[in-house]
Amino acid sequence: MLVSALLTSVGINFGLCVLFFILYSILRKQPSNYEVYIPRLVADGSSKRRSHFNLERLIPSPGWVKRAWNVTEDDLLSASGLDVVVFMRVITFSLKVFLFTAIIGIFVLLPINFTGGELSEIDLEDLSSYSLDVFTISNVKSGSKWLWAHFCAVYLVTAFVCILLYNEYKYICLKRIAYFHSSKPQPHQFTVLVRSVPVSSGSSVGESVERFFTEYHPSTYLSQMVVHRTNKLRSLINDAKKLYKRIIHLQSDPNKQKNTRIGLFGQKVDLMDQFEKKLEDIEENVRLEQSEVSMAEEVRAAFVSFKTRYGAAIAFHMQQSTNPTQWVIEQAPEPKDVYWPFFSSSFMRRWISKLVVIVACILLTILFLIPVVLVQGLTNLSQLEIWFPFLKSFLTITFVSSVVTGYLPSLILLLFLKIVPPIMEFLSSIQGYICHSDIEKSACNKVLWFTIWNIFFATVFSGSVLYQVSILLDPKNIPSKLAVAVPAQASFFVAYVVTSGWTSTASELFRIIPLFCSLIRRPFSKDTDDDFEVPSIPFHRDIPRILFFALLGITYFFLAPLILPFLLIYLCLAYVIFRNQFINVYAPRYETAGKFWPIVHNSMIFSLVLMQAIAVGIFTLKKLSVASTLIFPLVVLTLLFNEYCRKRFLPNFIAYPAEVLIKRDREDQNDRTMGEFYDKLVTAYQDPAMLPIHFSDNGESLNSPLISSTV
């Protein structure tokens, strides 16, 4: 890629970002767009939907940037929980890393690369016509003593990243414990999920659970809630909800036609009467199904609650039976985090689903090579002219060739990557996880490694699937092949950061898809209060993106330091925009208390080891064998550091230590509200589908709940 193509891509993306910011500053002020740009404030009652016209709404203003910038970590913690704090720590951690690497890369390594003289002599007056390769390590002559600067940079950056990782892991670990101490008693802290319950003839699952825990945990056992299969019941309730909303729409719009004709020449019927009768039938079916489910459709699983957190922890950590396949215990998620469809699936169905997910991930990976190959063709003008000879004259125009080779390839990959997170979330949902948070963590891992393989390795080793597999089957030659292939794709990844990073972050602020959906739905509904829902935080979409850019920055900082300024701009945009979104748009659906951080840590360690492997190959290729040999101890030290962090910090992310649990339990002994909490704990894990449903017979309120919150 030429410098001119990169400048064209930067110009286009910068213009798009400015356009998005201006449009956002105007559109967010319009009351009709409040549900798109400030849904959380609308739901909290902090902002009203309707107000009088004001000319100021048509003038863009940067006030939202200042408000987002002034939000403190404590504000985010109290408003959105520790998971959001950890998300922002990922961004600030990356900013610290790339500020440090930018100082070394831009002021030390980039001049060395630029003046290396291996590829060609540089004419500064005609710089735009040169390839971006003149800014990479490929331009440094083999055997040059200047390569020792790159060697020292690899060691310095590895040490700096490891120090930051240790401090962040320690900080988040302490923050997690402090968050636990400061939070009110939560049902999941006192509860475990028991599966594979053995049931003797003549007794139910509930009776077996009650008998077992009363005998073996007599001092701490409190209650149990047996799980039922409610997939059919949930389907009926969903039908009732949809019908109820249609009735509300008819009631709220006096001009809407409320009569319809049956058939072409049939008699007219009142829609309201028809819908109400149908709703009554569904309600009766729901009651009958609830009665049948409560009597027969038991799953051999139950949520068991204890009087103390320590009692629940003992049950979780100890094997309950001489047969380890029975009375299997795992930590219970928050009640609102439970993924109830999991319990309606049989063991065989979940086992088959896991195999299906593996096959689906492999097929998706193979299919995704099609857009990758297409993108690689676009980055090569000569290849493109062979494929499409009729475009040859058109591609000779400088601006067109710059757009095609610099901007278009990254844009195509960005559009294809948009469909990956929802697909991975769906695949994780059928894999057998009991809660939404586990589903999202699994999807986060899938999206991350899918992106690394399909965007990084598939682009670097452009070729067939068999060629990529053959590289992995020959591990001794991986560093040498990486050394040749990775620097060759530096220009593509620089453009990818600009296009995918800048544009995707700006579009996150603009919320294009929710805005279009709102505009389409608006003419058909005067009042959307009943359909209004605050979106949840898409961790599985955004964390992998940030980590992938971090991988690009770490692997390319000494190969092509030119990537670093563009990464810093992306991270600065992400820092401001996501703080704004957490204040105004997203609401937490669950709280894992920072359990996403181990994914971040593992990804950064992988990035460091990958960078070191590339360094081994590069120094070997550049005939600096001593430097290549001296990199091996660094790989070993990095892996030992990772193992130390895994032993030192990871156990605190799996379960809380006994001293923390016992301290909280002792504090609860003086809490007068614990009696009321225990009363609520008994029914906290009742399946929402088993709760009685109530419909408004008098049309009291458009927002009256369909399902009651009490039994």
Side-chain angles (χ1 to χ4, degrees), residues 456-467:
F456 185 81
F457 287 108
T459 300
V460 166
F461 300 119
S462 301
S464 66
V465 180
L466 293 177
Y467 174 67

Side-chain angles (χ1 to χ4, degrees), residues 61-187:
S61 61
W64 64 271
V65 177
K66 183 179 179 181
R67 286 190 292 273
W69 187 270
N70 290 334
V71 174
T72 64
E73 188 175 277
D74 290 337
D75 294 335
L76 288 174
L77 184 65
S78 60
S80 299
L82 189 56
D83 287 334
V84 167
V85 172
V86 168
F87 182 92
M88 292 307 304
R89 298 288 296 190
V90 176
I91 297 176
T92 55
F93 169 83
S94 302
L95 275 170
K96 292 174 185 176
V97 169
F98 295 119
L99 278 172
F100 180 77
T101 54
I103 293 172
I104 297 175
I106 300 300
F107 296 106
V108 179
L109 302 182
L110 188 62
I112 294 174
N113 293 347
F114 186 65
T115 57
E118 175 73 8
L119 300 178
S120 61
E121 295 296 328
I122 306 300
D123 182 4
L124 294 178
E125 294 182 359
D126 193 27
L127 188 61
S128 62
S129 63
Y130 284 93
S131 168
L132 288 177
D133 292 340
V134 299
F135 297 100
T136 70
I137 199 172
S138 301
N139 196 39
V140 182
K141 293 181 178 180
S142 298
S144 172
K145 293 181 179 179
W146 288 110
L147 289 169
W148 284 103
H150 298 79
F151 171 83
C152 294
V154 170
Y155 260 86
L156 282 173
V157 169
T158 299
F160 183 77
V161 172
C162 287
I163 291 170
L164 280 184
L165 280 174
Y166 177 84
N167 291 333
E168 286 294 319
Y169 223 148
K170 182 179 180 181
Y171 177 84
I172 294 171
C173 185
L174 294 174
K175 202 77 175 175
R176 174 176 160 83
I177 293 174
Y179 186 75
F180 176 79
H181 276 298
S182 62
S183 63
K184 295 180 180 179
Q186 301 294 327

Side-chain angles (χ1 to χ4, degrees), residues 551-566:
L551 179 141
L552 291 180
I554 289 175
T555 52
Y556 274 100
F557 91 92
F558 75 105
L559 300 175
L562 196 63
I563 199 174
L564 297 173
F566 303 111

